[in-house]
Amino acid sequence: MPRKTINVDWNAVTTALSSGQMTKIEQFASQYGVSRPTAKKMLADKYGNNIIFNRGRAGGIVYNPVPLSPASAVNA
């Protein structure tokens, strides 16, 4: 059985992430009908170092469109 194709409106996702409307992986997963691990992989593949996933009760998605470079992170 072939895999289901998922069409994601990445512009809407980026807007939701940057405005703080999307803070949990579950929001993305339920919106697109995928599992949480699949949703996390999709977000990580799309945003790379611009996104951080925090675990725990207060955890969620942290989006930073301008990530720190490795050199500035060491000097900070």
Side-chain angles (χ1 to χ4, degrees):
M1 184 177 202
R3 291 186 179 197
K4 179 174 88 170
T5 301
I6 301 166
N7 294 320
V8 177
D9 181 0
W10 290 110
N11 291 328
V13 172
T14 301
T15 301
L17 286 170
S18 60
S19 67
Q21 293 175 347
M22 184 180 295
T23 58
K24 302 287 183 188
I25 295 171
E26 291 83 12
Q27 290 174 281
F28 180 85
S30 65
Q31 183 175 356
Y32 291 102
V34 296
S35 67
R36 285 183 291 188
T38 301
K40 186 174 180 178
K41 183 177 181 340
M42 290 171 68
L43 289 166
D45 288 346
K46 174 65 179 173
Y47 294 106
N49 291 334
N50 295 339
I51 199 164
I52 299 170
F53 302 102
N54 292 326
R55 295 180 62 161
R57 184 173 182 179
I61 302 169
V62 178
Y63 176 65
N64 182 13
V66 183
L68 294 173
S69 67
S72 64
V74 171
N75 295 330

